[in-house]
Amino acid sequence: MNHSYQPRCGCTTRRQLLGWAALASLGTLTGLTGLTGCSQADNSAQSLQPQEIDRTTSCELDGMLLADYPGPKAQVRFAGQDKPSFFCDTVELFSTLLAGEQVRAVQAVYVQDMGQADWNAPQGHWIDGKSAIYVVGGKRHGSMGPTIGSFAQEADAKKFAAEYGGKVLRFAEITPAMVDLSGGALHDTRM
């Protein structure tokens, strides 16, 4: 069963969303096909483009300021939103997308290409999260402690994994069991 996320408009039924949520909670979700919204007003190509972070951009989950932390950031355009939801870490992104209770329709997912962006102060270099290559289990930290590196090129991901450890995976291969939020946020006094 191939459930690959596609950033385009198309109605998703509540039953489909709940089915995908159930698969995600079992660790069997292989992507996010059809998690798209029904609102035609927000679906222009322009409105779904990634937005750059600034000094005031905060994380949807915990309010942390993205610019204060190293490592790849992420943003998701949920149906019905005029602005993306930002995440200070790719671990939070996958935790949100793979959560059993996640039922919001996803129109677009973007992560930063860490083959191009400065790890310590990443800016720009946004790529489609669905087509990105990830390194799970590496030793390099983001805002949440150990993070999931995101790359546009498989060669960059393999180079990163050779230097910092971890396993090179595609979007659809990441499971809830690989997402650990018990890192940096529990010990962060800057929030």
Side-chain angles (χ1 to χ4, degrees):
M1 185 181 294
N2 181 13
H3 299 288
S4 54
Y5 153 80
Q6 300 197 12
R8 59 174 172 72
C9 184
C11 292
T12 300
T13 67
R14 181 166 173 75
R15 177 176 284 184
Q16 287 171 313
L17 288 171
L18 292 174
W20 288 320
L23 289 173
S25 69
L26 296 172
T28 59
L29 184 67
T30 58
L32 297 171
T33 289
L35 292 185
T36 57
C38 299
S39 171
Q40 295 296 325
D42 293 337
N43 290 321
S44 72
Q46 180 74 6
S47 70
L48 295 179
Q49 293 303 309
Q51 293 184 9
E52 190 51 64
I53 61 173
D54 62 30
R55 296 289 314 155
T56 65
T57 306
S58 62
C59 178
E60 176 177 279
L61 297 182
D62 53 30
M64 293 168 63
L65 295 176
L66 275 64
D68 288 349
Y69 297 92
K73 311 298 182 247
Q75 55 184 285
V76 174
R77 182 63 60 116
F78 292 106
Q81 285 184 301
D82 59 343
K83 295 182 180 181
S85 293
F86 287 96
F87 299 91
C88 57
D89 198 295
T90 50
V91 171
E92 287 184 334
L93 167 74
F94 281 103
S95 177
T96 298
L97 293 179
L98 298 176
E101 62 275 4
Q102 163 51 26
V103 294
R104 295 181 289 177
V106 175
Q107 293 179 307
V109 176
Y110 296 101
V111 294
Q112 290 177 300
D113 177 8
M114 300 314 290
Q116 300 294 317
D118 175 1
W119 189 277
N120 294 316
Q123 284 289 313
H125 303 287
W126 294 102
I127 56 174
D128 179 10
K130 175 193 147 214
S131 61
I133 309 295
Y134 297 93
V135 177
V136 177
K139 295 177 184 158
R140 199 102 197 247
H141 285 204
S143 67
M144 304 307 291
T147 194
I148 300 171
S150 51
F151 300 88
Q153 303 296 318
E154 189 168 1
D156 290 336
K158 287 180 176 180
K159 180 179 175 185
F160 180 89
E163 186 171 348
Y164 299 104
K167 185 175 181 179
V168 176
L169 299 170
R170 304 264 178 206
F171 181 89
E173 296 174 310
I174 298 176
T175 67
M178 297 173 186
V179 180
D180 181 9
L181 285 176
S182 65
L186 295 178
H187 310 289
D188 187 6
T189 59
R190 296 184 288 178
M191 290 194 304

